[in-house]
Amino acid sequence: QVQLQESGPGLVRPSETLSLTCAVSGASISSYYWIWIRQPPGKGLEWIGYIYYSGSTNYNPSLKSRVTISLDTSKNQLSLKLTSVTAADTAVYYCARLMTTVATDYWGQGTLATVSS
Amino acid sequence: QSALTQPRSVSGSPGQSATISCAGTNSDVGAYNYVSWYQQHPGKAPKLMIYDVNKRPSGVPDRFSGSKSGNTASLTISGLQAEDEADYYCCSYAGSYTYAVFGGGTKLTVL
């Protein structure tokens, strides 16, 4: 059974960098595409970007200048870094496995990241 | 403002059908047959219900069906059940630059 588990600091100061990890079990990250999606409290879903095991990435143009997604194959996990955060970046962040083009089959439970001083 | 437009709410009685629309453009929904639908219950991660416009993942009841006409995709739920009450989001491929866009979500209420 494939399982994903996000983790990271629940509170981040404005202008600092949000760093999250997603530990994957039951599947090798050296296959498939892996993605990050976020959801501000009470709002809809927003695509952040994907990474392929080859290192190929694609980011939401609105976040591209601030976001980096990477893989750590030794730990079988992926990471998300979002720089210069503001209150607008407060959201539940999900990692997921991409099954086909825009279809995900496995999700983490999500982790809330709050940007506040 | 979301890239894809969905009605904020839809309702139906148990046993009836409900249809949720997802309006895009000829750069996303209209250009590709890569539309997915997700169901999300409060406090839970989204669950894939339909992909590639009209394909159902294993385990999803055949009460759920998807279709597309022009720039608008639709999710139809027949034989509504109480557990279908949830938020539903559409998602479309939008080309290699943007890649994916979501709708704003629709709250389905089973009366």
Side-chain angles (χ1 to χ4, degrees), chain A residues 37 39 43-47 50 58-59 61 64 94 98-104 107-108, chain B residues 34-36 38 40 44-46 48 51-52 89 91-93 96-100 102 104:
Chain A
I37 286 172
Q39 184 172 36
K43 297 187 178 181
L45 302 170
E46 181 180 27
W47 184 279
Y50 74 66
N58 183 289
Y59 301 130
K64 189 173 184 176
Y94 295 99
L98 205 58
M99 183 180 77
T100 65
T101 310
V102 288
T104 56
W107 292 70
Chain B
Y34 298 126
V35 177
S36 295
Y38 293 90
Q40 187 180 36
K44 301 294 186 181
L48 180 68
Y51 69 99
D52 293 355
Y89 294 90
C91 181
S92 175
Y93 178 66
S96 60
Y97 180 69
T98 302
Y99 196 83
F102 279 102

Side-chain angles (χ1 to χ4, degrees), chain B residues 35-93:
Chain B
V35 177
S36 295
W37 289 91
Y38 293 90
Q39 176 193 67
Q40 187 180 36
H41 288 108
K44 301 294 186 181
K47 175 186 175 183
L48 180 68
M49 305 303 284
I50 295 288
Y51 69 99
D52 293 355
V53 175
N54 56 16
K55 297 177 182 176
R56 265 188 320 275
S58 173
V60 172
D62 60 8
R63 302 185 294 105
F64 291 83
S65 62
S67 62
K68 190 185 85 166
S69 178
N71 295 337
T72 300
S74 298
L75 172 71
T76 298
I77 310 165
S78 59
L80 281 171
Q81 299 180 4
E83 63 257 35
D84 299 332
E85 186 163 294
D87 292 325
Y88 290 84
Y89 294 90
C90 61
C91 181
S92 175
Y93 178 66

